[in-house]
Amino acid sequence: MTLNALTTPDPAPFLACIDAVAAQADRESDQNEAARSLSPGLAAAMAEAGAYRMLVPQAHGGLEVSPQVMMDALRRLAYGDGAAGWCAMIGATTGLLAATLPEETANTIFADPRVIPCGVTAPMGTAQRKGDGWTVSGRWSFASASPNAHWLAGGCRLVDEAGAPLLDKHGSPEQRLFFFRQEQVTRHDTWHVSGLCGTGSGDMSVEGLELDEAFSVPLGAAPRVRTPLYRFPTFGLLALGVASVAIGLGERALDEWAELAQKKAPAGSRRRLAERAPVQLALAKAEAQLASARAFMEQAAEEAWACAAAGEKLSSEHRRRLRLAASHGTWAAAE
């Protein structure tokens, strides 16, 4: 399927592409876990399928899918392989910034439909004003998807020449997200973990890097693009993305366990685990809990999306339910 065909409002072709790369991620899972990063081939296939540009505006060549389609795509990818789902979530939510960046910059970064972005929002760096631009230094942990990324974003605190924080009109420290090219970043091999090994979430750093202000956005700035997706709360989308990955992992765990229970019997017994009533009850409860959590997330997203699509401002209740549903979904999957 060509990339152009993915711009159709019908999400079915896009989700079919996602299913194909989820199957590829499943097949490569062991090798990516051992390598502690997605293979370049898998990362490229995910880009080809549109996984990283789900939330990029159509005006900049993105798919601009609804939150519900994003949730479904991330859940399917995570079911195939958790690391693939997580990297897609990081890349897709970084793509949201295309709606806030200056138009020319957004075109520069996202013009190639195969571009892979990633980012760390936490303000672990500093940026000092230099002329019309900034001098940026910092080191960011948990830079998921960074080994295959073409552009990487890092959060920074703005400081004056003496290193003192610059304050906004409300007296709060000013923060910006800056975009770096892969060749401008030093990556550090710090990702030695027991879970989601394949995300390549090592540290990244820059030192004294001079950047044009156009390659940055103030943290929390209002999007320049005002279509419904960008009226949806950014951190609400991020929370739903994280939870969707967790739900996909939970669903795969249940299916793996059910398959195992068909084969295994306790020592000294001929009855398989699947034939035991307490096991059946526990599995049924877990399935219902996970399905209920997913339904709550979908309901909260649908309610908020209807409001955004109507051009209305989301209420604090919409935002509360989005975060509640996402938190609940993540905890349900973990349990």
Side-chain angles (χ1 to χ4, degrees), residues 36-38 46 52 82-94 116-121 140-153 182 187-188 190-191 193 195-204 242:
R36 293 178 292 114
S37 174
L38 301 186
M46 289 167 60
Y52 300 113
W86 186 262
C87 288
M89 182 274 297
I90 292 294
T93 53
T94 303
I116 300 174
C118 74
V120 180
T121 303
W140 293 264
S141 300
F142 310 118
S144 301
S146 59
N148 295 301
H150 303 100
W151 288 88
L152 308 93
Q182 175 70 252
R187 290 190 293 105
H188 305 272
T190 57
W191 193 240
V193 292
L196 290 182
C197 301
T199 59
S201 301
D203 291 7
M204 68 176 185
V242 171

Side-chain angles (χ1 to χ4, degrees), residues 47-79:
E48 181 79 22
Y52 300 113
R53 59 191 180 101
M54 285 188 277
L55 306 181
V56 174
Q58 289 186 6
H60 298 296
L63 301 181
E64 200 173 327
V65 304
S66 69
Q68 299 93 314
V69 173
M70 176 204 74
M71 291 162 60
D72 199 9
L74 293 177
R75 180 184 59 80
R76 295 182 189 207
L77 278 169
Y79 185 94

Side-chain angles (χ1 to χ4, degrees), residues 240 296-297 299-301 303 315-327:
L240 289 175
F296 182 22
M297 286 171 52
Q299 181 189 57
E303 291 170 351
S315 67
S316 58
E317 178 63 11
H318 284 126
R319 296 170 186 270
R320 185 190 72 83
R321 282 175 61 80
L322 286 172
R323 296 302 290 271
L324 174 61
S327 298

Side-chain angles (χ1 to χ4, degrees), residues 109-122:
I109 295 175
F110 295 99
D112 185 346
R114 296 170 181 81
V115 73
I116 300 174
C118 74
V120 180
T121 303

Side-chain angles (χ1 to χ4, degrees), residues 15-32 42 45-46 49 73 75-81 84-85 252:
L15 292 174
C17 288
I18 290 295
D19 286 340
V21 292
Q24 179 180 346
D26 190 2
R27 293 191 298 270
E28 294 187 15
S29 178
D30 288 344
Q31 70 184 64
N32 291 335
L42 176 59
M46 289 167 60
R75 180 184 59 80
R76 295 182 189 207
L77 278 169
Y79 185 94
D81 178 68
R252 179 63 180 267

